[in-house]
């Protein structure tokens, strides 16, 4: 492993990367299901997510950049130089409302600071399923402390060498450790034959939600051939699964590592129960006719609604944006938070922030749109029937995954940009609406 100041790095002017073992060892020694490592670059006020384990990139994305003064556990741990422990969903919701809103699932969390005597370098976050004991054991605390000390020593050495560590554009994802040896060919053949004999469906998802296997019964039950499903997330291929509640169950399984289920109806009238069984390497799914749904099956998930169709991923990200913006102290803070810290994390191509002034929506800032286009909407009266005005008037968010959806809701709409989907969020500062945020996406 290269150390800071390695001649190869000096020659290229690049710093070394934080060793993956900093996180891998903490996860292994504590039995955590999810791990994240954040680094605070010199002179910045935003923590950068550099390493992640046990969670796919698209779930971690909204947490990739965290302001040091945000009400988030890792930021508090670093500022206060102490370990933050959250032992229940109720405690998370009470102490960290934004986290509780965006991830309303059962899990336990520890956030620990990466510090030395002189500098706060970042923090480590670990998650456990709810069957973890209510408190960290001394051995777990020691393992977390050891990883933090190791990271701090590496970052200190890197800084002293004049080559601070490289920060990746996206966090490096650690591979899950194997839980068993690879099956022998005969065992693999026997397992495949076993699944093909089952009268019910079964399939496997990787941690990113993509289908890696489905048996013949499962393909027949969902009404699609295996070739069209493999390598894709089911809710992106099967339109009748394009429901926020269904993808929410997948995300809950990944975050909590607990079994969960949902019921869906395949057109025209076939009810199916999907039972999800997660592990550190993926999710096994059983598919049953709805009539055979076990009594203990969990009720269908409920998620916040929006004034328009929206995928769960979009809802997840927009909920994060809305809760973060609601904590901003003023309009200037909102512009900086939206443009510089939140948007880069999850992919809108453009944004425009509008504030209410003298009965009109004035453009306070924008990114990704041309000045000519922005000028056409600057100063729109609050009597206008537009989604941006509606967001202010109703304090409700709306999402339109296509221009056809936008036009149906607002017939006078004209497609004036090159975006494929749009979101309109109200901006509420100190409990009152002050404007709206428009986000434009190249893909819905």
């Amino acid at each position: 492993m290269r150390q800071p100041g390695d001649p190869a790095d000096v020659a290229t002017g690049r710093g070394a990367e934080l060793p993956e073992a900093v996180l891998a060892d903490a996860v292994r020694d504590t039995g955590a299901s999810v791990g994240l490592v954040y680094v605070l670059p010199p002179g910045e006020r935003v923590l950068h997510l550099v390493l992640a384990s046990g969670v796919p990139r698209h779930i971690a994305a909204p947490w990739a950049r965290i302001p040091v003064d945000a009400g988030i556990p890792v930021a508090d741990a670093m500022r206060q130089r102490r370990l933050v422990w959250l032992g229940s969903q109720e405690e998370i919701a009470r102490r960290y409302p934004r986290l509780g809103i965006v991830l309303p699932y059962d899990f336990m969390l520890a956030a620990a600071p990466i510090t030395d005597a002189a500098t706060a370098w970042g923090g480590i976050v670990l998650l456990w399923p709810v069957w973890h004991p209510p408190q960290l054991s001394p051995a777990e605390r020691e393992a977390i402390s050891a990883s933090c000390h190791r990271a701090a020593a590496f970052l200190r050495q890197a800084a002293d060498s004049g080559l601070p560590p490289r920060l990746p554009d996206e966090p490096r994802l650690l591979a899950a450790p194997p839980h068993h040896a690879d099956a022998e060919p005969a065992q693999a053949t026997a397992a495949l034959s076993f699944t093909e004999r089952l009268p019910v469906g079964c399939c496997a998802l990787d941690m990113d939600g993509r289908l890696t296997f489905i048996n013949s019964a499962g393909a027949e039950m969902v009404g699609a051939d295996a070739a069209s499903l493999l390598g894709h997330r089911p809710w992106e291929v099967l339109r009748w699964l394009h429901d926020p509640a269904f993808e929410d169950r997948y995300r809950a399984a990944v975050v909590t590592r607990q079994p969960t289920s949902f019921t869906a109806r395949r057109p025209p009238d076939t009810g199916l129960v999907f039972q999800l069984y997660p592990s550190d390497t993926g999710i096994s799914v059983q598919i049953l006719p709805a009539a055979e749904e076990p009594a203990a099956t969990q009720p269908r998930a409920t998620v916040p609604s929006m004034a328009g169709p929206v995928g769960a991923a979009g809802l997840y990200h927009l909920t994060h944006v809305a809760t973060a913006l609601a904590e901003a102290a003023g309009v200037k803070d909102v512009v900086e938070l939206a443009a510089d810290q939140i948007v880069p994390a999850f992919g809108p191509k453009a944004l425009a922030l509008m504030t209410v002034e003298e009965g009109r929506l004035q453009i306070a800032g924008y990114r990704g749109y041309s000045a000519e286009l922005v000028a056409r909407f600057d100063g729109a009266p609050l009597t206008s029937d537009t989604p941006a005005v509606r967001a202010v008037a109703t304090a409700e968010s709306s999402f339109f995954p296509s221009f056809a959806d936008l036009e149906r809701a607002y017939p006078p709409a004209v497609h004036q940009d090159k975006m494929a989907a749009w979101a309109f969020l109200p901006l509420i500062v100190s409990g009152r609406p002050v404007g709206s945020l428009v986000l434009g996406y190249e893909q819905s």
Side-chain angles (χ1 to χ4, degrees), residues 30-42:
T30 64
S33 54
V34 174
L36 309 168
V37 175
Y38 289 87
V39 170
L40 179 64

mmCIF file with all atom_site columns, all heavy atoms in Angstrom, residues 30-42:
data_model
loop_
_atom_site.group_PDB
_atom_site.id
_atom_site.type_symbol
_atom_site.label_atom_id
_atom_site.label_alt_id
_atom_site.label_comp_id
_atom_site.label_asym_id
_atom_site.label_entity_id
_atom_site.label_seq_id
_atom_site.pdbx_PDB_ins_code
_atom_site.Cartn_x
_atom_site.Cartn_y
_atom_site.Cartn_z
_atom_site.occupancy
_atom_site.B_iso_or_equiv
_atom_site.pdbx_formal_charge
_atom_site.auth_seq_id
_atom_site.auth_comp_id
_atom_site.auth_asym_id
_atom_site.auth_atom_id
_atom_site.pdbx_PDB_model_num
ATOM 1  N N   . THR A 1 30 ? -16.983 -4.636 14.061 1.00 0.00 ? 30 THR A N   1
ATOM 2  C CA  . THR A 1 30 ? -18.195 -4.252 14.789 1.00 0.00 ? 30 THR A CA  1
ATOM 3  C C   . THR A 1 30 ? -19.438 -4.973 14.288 1.00 0.00 ? 30 THR A C   1
ATOM 4  O O   . THR A 1 30 ? -20.498 -4.865 14.911 1.00 0.00 ? 30 THR A O   1
ATOM 5  C CB  . THR A 1 30 ? -18.453 -2.733 14.665 1.00 0.00 ? 30 THR A CB  1
ATOM 6  O OG1 . THR A 1 30 ? -18.699 -2.412 13.289 1.00 0.00 ? 30 THR A OG1 1
ATOM 7  C CG2 . THR A 1 30 ? -17.279 -1.925 15.181 1.00 0.00 ? 30 THR A CG2 1
ATOM 8  N N   . GLY A 1 31 ? -19.323 -5.672 13.161 1.00 0.00 ? 31 GLY A N   1
ATOM 9  C CA  . GLY A 1 31 ? -20.491 -6.341 12.598 1.00 0.00 ? 31 GLY A CA  1
ATOM 10 C C   . GLY A 1 31 ? -21.487 -5.386 11.974 1.00 0.00 ? 31 GLY A C   1
ATOM 11 O O   . GLY A 1 31 ? -22.655 -5.741 11.777 1.00 0.00 ? 31 GLY A O   1
ATOM 12 N N   . ALA A 1 32 ? -21.059 -4.164 11.652 1.00 0.00 ? 32 ALA A N   1
ATOM 13 C CA  . ALA A 1 32 ? -21.964 -3.183 11.048 1.00 0.00 ? 32 ALA A CA  1
ATOM 14 C C   . ALA A 1 32 ? -22.392 -3.638 9.662  1.00 0.00 ? 32 ALA A C   1
ATOM 15 O O   . ALA A 1 32 ? -21.634 -4.297 8.940  1.00 0.00 ? 32 ALA A O   1
ATOM 16 C CB  . ALA A 1 32 ? -21.289 -1.819 10.974 1.00 0.00 ? 32 ALA A CB  1
ATOM 17 N N   . SER A 1 33 ? -23.611 -3.279 9.279  1.00 0.00 ? 33 SER A N   1
ATOM 18 C CA  . SER A 1 33 ? -24.112 -3.639 7.960  1.00 0.00 ? 33 SER A CA  1
ATOM 19 C C   . SER A 1 33 ? -23.785 -2.576 6.922  1.00 0.00 ? 33 SER A C   1
ATOM 20 O O   . SER A 1 33 ? -23.658 -2.885 5.732  1.00 0.00 ? 33 SER A O   1
ATOM 21 C CB  . SER A 1 33 ? -25.630 -3.843 8.021  1.00 0.00 ? 33 SER A CB  1
ATOM 22 O OG  . SER A 1 33 ? -26.278 -2.710 8.562  1.00 0.00 ? 33 SER A OG  1
ATOM 23 N N   . VAL A 1 34 ? -23.640 -1.337 7.345  1.00 0.00 ? 34 VAL A N   1
ATOM 24 C CA  . VAL A 1 34 ? -23.338 -0.219 6.449  1.00 0.00 ? 34 VAL A CA  1
ATOM 25 C C   . VAL A 1 34 ? -22.245 0.627  7.089  1.00 0.00 ? 34 VAL A C   1
ATOM 26 O O   . VAL A 1 34 ? -22.250 0.841  8.302  1.00 0.00 ? 34 VAL A O   1
ATOM 27 C CB  . VAL A 1 34 ? -24.594 0.651  6.181  1.00 0.00 ? 34 VAL A CB  1
ATOM 28 C CG1 . VAL A 1 34 ? -24.237 1.892  5.361  1.00 0.00 ? 34 VAL A CG1 1
ATOM 29 C CG2 . VAL A 1 34 ? -25.669 -0.155 5.459  1.00 0.00 ? 34 VAL A CG2 1
ATOM 30 N N   . GLY A 1 35 ? -21.319 1.108  6.264  1.00 0.00 ? 35 GLY A N   1
ATOM 31 C CA  . GLY A 1 35 ? -20.275 1.991  6.759  1.00 0.00 ? 35 GLY A CA  1
ATOM 32 C C   . GLY A 1 35 ? -19.982 3.111  5.780  1.00 0.00 ? 35 GLY A C   1
ATOM 33 O O   . GLY A 1 35 ? -20.040 2.906  4.566  1.00 0.00 ? 35 GLY A O   1
ATOM 34 N N   . LEU A 1 36 ? -19.684 4.297  6.302  1.00 0.00 ? 36 LEU A N   1
ATOM 35 C CA  . LEU A 1 36 ? -19.368 5.470  5.498  1.00 0.00 ? 36 LEU A CA  1
ATOM 36 C C   . LEU A 1 36 ? -18.201 6.208  6.138  1.00 0.00 ? 36 LEU A C   1
ATOM 37 O O   . LEU A 1 36 ? -18.134 6.312  7.367  1.00 0.00 ? 36 LEU A O   1
ATOM 38 C CB  . LEU A 1 36 ? -20.569 6.426  5.405  1.00 0.00 ? 36 LEU A CB  1
ATOM 39 C CG  . LEU A 1 36 ? -21.924 5.843  4.986  1.00 0.00 ? 36 LEU A CG  1
ATOM 40 C CD1 . LEU A 1 36 ? -23.038 6.851  5.231  1.00 0.00 ? 36 LEU A CD1 1
ATOM 41 C CD2 . LEU A 1 36 ? -21.894 5.424  3.526  1.00 0.00 ? 36 LEU A CD2 1
ATOM 42 N N   . VAL A 1 37 ? -17.295 6.726  5.310  1.00 0.00 ? 37 VAL A N   1
ATOM 43 C CA  . VAL A 1 37 ? -16.187 7.538  5.817  1.00 0.00 ? 37 VAL A CA  1
ATOM 44 C C   . VAL A 1 37 ? -16.216 8.892  5.110  1.00 0.00 ? 37 VAL A C   1
ATOM 45 O O   . VAL A 1 37 ? -16.285 8.962  3.874  1.00 0.00 ? 37 VAL A O   1
ATOM 46 C CB  . VAL A 1 37 ? -14.820 6.867  5.574  1.00 0.00 ? 37 VAL A CB  1
ATOM 47 C CG1 . VAL A 1 37 ? -13.692 7.800  6.008  1.00 0.00 ? 37 VAL A CG1 1
ATOM 48 C CG2 . VAL A 1 37 ? -14.727 5.553  6.340  1.00 0.00 ? 37 VAL A CG2 1
ATOM 49 N N   . TYR A 1 38 ? -16.153 9.959  5.916  1.00 0.00 ? 38 TYR A N   1
ATOM 50 C CA  . TYR A 1 38 ? -16.167 11.328 5.409  1.00 0.00 ? 38 TYR A CA  1
ATOM 51 C C   . TYR A 1 38 ? -14.840 12.010 5.704  1.00 0.00 ? 38 TYR A C   1
ATOM 52 O O   . TYR A 1 38 ? -14.236 11.791 6.765  1.00 0.00 ? 38 TYR A O   1
ATOM 53 C CB  . TYR A 1 38 ? -17.290 12.136 6.061  1.00 0.00 ? 38 TYR A CB  1
ATOM 54 C CG  . TYR A 1 38 ? -18.679 11.746 5.612  1.00 0.00 ? 38 TYR A CG  1
ATOM 55 C CD1 . TYR A 1 38 ? -19.364 10.723 6.254  1.00 0.00 ? 38 TYR A CD1 1
ATOM 56 C CD2 . TYR A 1 38 ? -19.295 12.395 4.552  1.00 0.00 ? 38 TYR A CD2 1
ATOM 57 C CE1 . TYR A 1 38 ? -20.639 10.357 5.850  1.00 0.00 ? 38 TYR A CE1 1
ATOM 58 C CE2 . TYR A 1 38 ? -20.573 12.042 4.136  1.00 0.00 ? 38 TYR A CE2 1
ATOM 59 C CZ  . TYR A 1 38 ? -21.231 11.020 4.789  1.00 0.00 ? 38 TYR A CZ  1
ATOM 60 O OH  . TYR A 1 38 ? -22.503 10.658 4.378  1.00 0.00 ? 38 TYR A OH  1
ATOM 61 N N   . VAL A 1 39 ? -14.412 12.862 4.770  1.00 0.00 ? 39 VAL A N   1
ATOM 62 C CA  . VAL A 1 39 ? -13.194 13.657 4.937  1.00 0.00 ? 39 VAL A CA  1
ATOM 63 C C   . VAL A 1 39 ? -13.529 15.126 4.706  1.00 0.00 ? 39 VAL A C   1
ATOM 64 O O   . VAL A 1 39 ? -14.287 15.461 3.784  1.00 0.00 ? 39 VAL A O   1
ATOM 65 C CB  . VAL A 1 39 ? -12.093 13.190 3.956  1.00 0.00 ? 39 VAL A CB  1
ATOM 66 C CG1 . VAL A 1 39 ? -10.918 14.173 3.961  1.00 0.00 ? 39 VAL A CG1 1
ATOM 67 C CG2 . VAL A 1 39 ? -11.615 11.791 4.325  1.00 0.00 ? 39 VAL A CG2 1
ATOM 68 N N   . LEU A 1 40 ? -12.974 15.982 5.549  1.00 0.00 ? 40 LEU A N   1
ATOM 69 C CA  . LEU A 1 40 ? -13.147 17.427 5.396  1.00 0.00 ? 40 LEU A CA  1
ATOM 70 C C   . LEU A 1 40 ? -11.902 17.993 4.728  1.00 0.00 ? 40 LEU A C   1
ATOM 71 O O   . LEU A 1 40 ? -10.828 18.043 5.338  1.00 0.00 ? 40 LEU A O   1
ATOM 72 C CB  . LEU A 1 40 ? -13.353 18.085 6.761  1.00 0.00 ? 40 LEU A CB  1
ATOM 73 C CG  . LEU A 1 40 ? -13.534 19.604 6.759  1.00 0.00 ? 40 LEU A CG  1
ATOM 74 C CD1 . LEU A 1 40 ? -14.822 19.989 6.022  1.00 0.00 ? 40 LEU A CD1 1
ATOM 75 C CD2 . LEU A 1 40 ? -13.555 20.140 8.191  1.00 0.00 ? 40 LEU A CD2 1
ATOM 76 N N   . PRO A 1 41 ? -11.983 18.423 3.463  1.00 0.00 ? 41 PRO A N   1
ATOM 77 C CA  . PRO A 1 41 ? -10.801 18.962 2.779  1.00 0.00 ? 41 PRO A CA  1
ATOM 78 C C   . PRO A 1 41 ? -10.311 20.244 3.454  1.00 0.00 ? 41 PRO A C   1
ATOM 79 O O   . PRO A 1 41 ? -11.111 21.007 4.014  1.00 0.00 ? 41 PRO A O   1
ATOM 80 C CB  . PRO A 1 41 ? -11.312 19.260 1.358  1.00 0.00 ? 41 PRO A CB  1
ATOM 81 C CG  . PRO A 1 41 ? -12.546 18.419 1.212  1.00 0.00 ? 41 PRO A CG  1
ATOM 82 C CD  . PRO A 1 41 ? -13.156 18.373 2.582  1.00 0.00 ? 41 PRO A CD  1
ATOM 83 N N   . PRO A 1 42 ? -9.018  20.498 3.433  1.00 0.00 ? 42 PRO A N   1
ATOM 84 C CA  . PRO A 1 42 ? -8.468  21.721 4.053  1.00 0.00 ? 42 PRO A CA  1
ATOM 85 C C   . PRO A 1 42 ? -9.127  22.974 3.488  1.00 0.00 ? 42 PRO A C   1
ATOM 86 O O   . PRO A 1 42 ? -9.293  23.120 2.280  1.00 0.00 ? 42 PRO A O   1
ATOM 87 C CB  . PRO A 1 42 ? -6.980  21.660 3.675  1.00 0.00 ? 42 PRO A CB  1
ATOM 88 C CG  . PRO A 1 42 ? -6.703  20.209 3.430  1.00 0.00 ? 42 PRO A CG  1
ATOM 89 C CD  . PRO A 1 42 ? -7.967  19.648 2.849  1.00 0.00 ? 42 PRO A CD  1
#
